[in-house]
Amino acid sequence: MPVPPEVKVQKFVEKGCIPQRYVFGIMGFLAVANAYAMRSVLSVAITEMVVVHHGMLGNRTLIPDPMACPAPNGAQVHHVNPENEFDWDEKTQGYILSAFFWGYVLTHLPGGQLAEKFGGKQTLGLGILCTSVLTIATPFAARAGPWWLIVTRFIEGLGEGTTFPALNVLLAQWVPPMERGKLGALVFAGNQIGTVVSSTLTGLMLQHFEGGWPLVFYFFGALGCLWYIIFCFTCYNDPASHPHISTEEREYLSETIGCLKRRENLAPTPWKAMALSIPLWGLILGQIGHDWALFTIQTDLPKYMKSVMHFTVAQNGFLSSLPFLVMWFTALFSGWLSDFLLAHKVINVTLLRKIFTTIASVGPALGSLAASYAGCDKVLVATLFAVGMAFMGFFYPSLKVNALDLSPNYAGTLMAIVNGTGAIAGVITPTLIGYLTPNSHMLEWRMVFWISGGVVLITNVLYCIMGTAVIQPWNDPTGTQEETVKWKSTTEDGLPDEKNIEVTTKKV
């Protein structure tokens, strides 16, 4: 009697060896963590790079905030950095913070195509390396002028835009369907850990280390370079090309995924079928709503905590990261819960994806709005942001892996379309917030959170109506044809009339 693949893997793990798909899962997690750390470091650092204006900004008088929270000890909030190097208004800061996403959007689709054609390893690795080098160069660009910094952040976004398409291609090759919730949640939860580590360490380094704000960019850029070196020696495009994968794991992946080698003769991308796919449009709309809510918090929450709540830079770093820390725990829990519910056939995949996506949309919308009405109660505000964003962890085993459900063969391209389109929210939100909060008033920020909540809730409803987890026919446009013959009449002898038949074909 053959041994079930699950038993083979269990015995293999018991021998003390780590399956290579878990090694990839860990390195994938660190890839996302590094990417988000380098992306997020500017959000906290910019609060200490830019001059704080009280009363006047250039020739314009700032309007006093009637709901302003008191500064600590009744004093004006000041910078740890006495030089206050840059005199950038809110609109300029909005352009700087959004520049990354202009580049990020553009390389999603090319990144997915390259990963599908040549493999995801170097498509992912070189993208992270590019971002790392440019992160180290950020202080030099900032001191050369705001437009130099905008260009540097734009190119940095170009490098990081390949991350998720390449990861999706690698996940499709390495992770069996019933483990996608767990390993997918692990890999993509690097988002939260990267943001937590980046925000917290940036705040602490700015508060306690000499060397000023440039130090944080050198530190996180160097970590990204170190990750790339390790990644080159530990991860491969697919199980077939891995020299150290065990026989047990090779057999298990062959039985659960169906192949060990990525398809190099994949048919041309079915663009027309994708463009007409209602489930794909539903997924895109859901991603836009999620990214709008996420980037509002990720990119601009440190500014709210600094200018409205008057937290110190160290407090700001920690409290701005707290929502992402609790989100990480819920992402891991929801990944386990997703696999458990599917393994025990409690719920079908489509319904599970929609329920989890709804939780991930409603929670953050309500939490952010409630925080904006909590006034100057610092503990309550921080708690409401954290509790609300915790529910966003349910996004990772639902909407984030839905592209794999729809089309494993075109996972890279699909992730490029979905994540790239969703990232347009990252272009819009920092710029829009710069225009909505010229005086950094509490009421101005409240409008920001109302808009964010409205966008995420409306797009969630559209996803629930249009979305599915059923694999789409265009996943294999050159699939085998199955022919069905139906006799429409019989002869006088009662035999099928071969002159009056109906032939139909369908792909299988």
Side-chain angles (χ1 to χ4, degrees):
M1 181 177 179
V3 180
E6 294 84 356
V7 176
K8 292 179 183 177
V9 173
Q10 182 62 33
K11 289 181 178 179
F12 179 63
V13 173
E14 288 172 356
K15 292 178 182 178
C17 302
I18 301 177
Q20 293 304 316
R21 67 186 185 282
Y22 294 160
V23 173
F24 162 69
I26 293 169
M27 292 304 296
F29 162 80
L30 292 175
V32 177
N34 273 287
Y36 271 81
M38 292 184 288
R39 177 194 305 189
S40 304
V41 63
L42 182 62
S43 296
V44 175
I46 200 170
T47 66
E48 296 302 314
M49 294 163 60
V50 179
V51 175
V52 175
H53 293 278
H54 300 289
M56 293 290 294
L57 178 55
N59 296 321
R60 183 171 69 86
T61 302
L62 297 179
I63 301 171
D65 185 359
M67 301 179 66
C69 296
N73 301 321
Q76 294 283 7
V77 177
H78 60 279
H79 284 252
V80 174
N81 243 353
E83 293 83 5
N84 303 143
E85 290 188 46
F86 308 111
D87 191 5
W88 300 331
D89 62 15
E90 291 293 332
K91 291 180 182 178
T92 302
Q93 293 178 54
Y95 294 141
I96 291 169
L97 291 172
S98 68
F100 172 92
F101 294 98
W102 285 102
Y104 184 69
V105 168
L106 293 179
T107 50
H108 266 68
L109 196 53
Q113 298 276 285
L114 288 171
E116 287 170 356
K117 187 172 180 62
F118 301 107
K121 177 177 178 177
Q122 289 304 336
T123 309
L124 171 64
L126 291 175
I128 298 292
L129 180 63
C130 172
T131 306
S132 303
V133 172
L134 289 167
T135 299
I136 294 172
T138 297
F140 303 99
R143 284 168 173 162
W147 287 106
W148 283 102
L149 179 56
I150 287 171
V151 170
T152 300
R153 290 286 291 179
F154 171 78
I155 302 174
E156 190 175 330
L158 290 175
E160 197 170 310
T162 63
T163 300
F164 285 112
L167 274 172
N168 243 34
V169 170
L170 291 168
L171 284 168
Q173 297 300 321
W174 279 99
V175 182
M178 297 306 291
E179 295 183 15
R180 283 176 186 163
K182 178 173 56 183
L183 281 177
L186 169 65
V187 170
F188 295 127
N191 172 344
Q192 292 85 53
I193 293 302
T195 304
V196 167
V197 172
S198 174
S199 298
T200 304
L201 286 185
T202 297
L204 291 173
M205 291 170 74
L206 288 171
Q207 184 82 41
H208 300 294
F209 284 71
E210 294 185 4
W213 59 267
L215 181 63
V216 298
F217 293 97
Y218 303 148
F219 176 75
F220 286 105
L223 284 182
C225 293
L226 178 61
W227 171 88
Y228 175 72
I229 295 171
I230 298 172
F231 177 73
C232 285
F233 290 99
T234 56
C235 294
Y236 293 81
N237 283 322
D238 48 49
S241 62
H242 201 302
H244 307 301
I245 189 172
S246 70
T247 303
E248 291 90 342
E249 186 175 13
R250 188 186 300 272
E251 292 176 357
Y252 172 67
L253 295 178
S254 178
E255 292 177 30
T256 54
I257 297 177
C259 65
L260 294 175
K261 187 175 177 62
R262 62 188 176 87
R263 289 183 58 177
E264 297 177 347
N265 60 340
L266 197 62
T269 305
W271 296 112
K272 182 178 179 181
M274 286 182 176
L276 298 175
S277 174
I278 291 177
L280 177 55
W281 279 106
L283 180 56
I284 289 171
L285 291 171
Q287 183 76 37
I288 290 172
H290 166 269
D291 283 359
W292 191 292
L294 176 67
F295 294 145
T296 295
I297 299 299
Q298 191 171 59
T299 306
D300 286 281
L301 183 60
K303 292 173 65 178
Y304 179 82
M305 294 299 205
K306 170 86 174 185
S307 60
V308 176
M309 300 307 299
H310 299 318
F311 286 109
T312 67
V313 64
Q315 291 171 335
N316 191 353
F318 172 71
L319 293 174
S320 294
S321 72
L322 188 59
F324 298 94
L325 179 61
V326 293
M327 193 198 305
W328 180 63
F329 286 112
T330 55
L332 295 180
F333 167 73
S334 60
W336 169 84
L337 181 60
S338 170
D339 288 348
F340 176 84
L341 294 174
L342 293 177
H344 290 78
K345 299 181 180 180
V346 176
I347 191 173
N348 67 59
V349 180
T350 295
L351 185 57
L352 181 138
R353 300 283 191 249
K354 292 181 178 181
I355 291 174
F356 277 30
T357 299
T358 300
I359 295 172
S361 301
V362 175
L366 295 180
S368 297
L369 275 172
S372 72
Y373 282 92
C376 299
D377 188 330
K378 293 185 175 182
V379 174
L380 182 58
V381 167
T383 301
L384 288 170
F385 274 123
V387 172
M389 292 299 288
F391 290 101
M392 195 174 275
F394 282 82
F395 161 82
Y396 292 92
S398 56
L399 202 70
K400 194 67 174 178
V401 296
N402 195 196
L404 291 171
D405 299 323
L406 299 182
S407 178
N409 284 337
Y410 297 98
T413 297
L414 215 59
M415 174 59 84
I417 295 171
V418 174
N419 209 61
T421 307
I424 292 174
V427 175
I428 298 172
T429 52
T431 306
L432 179 63
I433 290 170
Y435 279 89
L436 291 175
T437 61
N439 304 289
S440 292
H441 288 182
M442 185 177 290
L443 289 178
E444 293 173 344
W445 278 96
R446 187 174 294 167
M447 178 58 67
V448 168
F449 296 125
W450 267 110
I451 293 173
S452 175
V455 170
V456 72
L457 292 178
I458 291 171
T459 54
N460 177 70
V461 171
L462 294 173
Y463 171 74
C464 289
I465 294 171
M466 302 165 66
T468 184
V470 177
I471 193 167
Q472 297 301 290
W474 42 264
N475 176 62
D476 191 5
T478 60
T480 339
Q481 299 288 325
E482 180 182 84
E483 185 175 86
T484 304
V485 179
K486 179 181 179 182
W487 281 269
K488 302 179 72 174
S489 63
T490 59
T491 64
E492 294 178 356
D493 300 327
L495 299 174
D497 184 358
E498 296 183 0
K499 296 181 181 179
N500 191 13
I501 62 175
E502 179 182 353
V503 180
T504 58
T505 60
K506 66 177 181 178
K507 291 175 183 176
V508 294

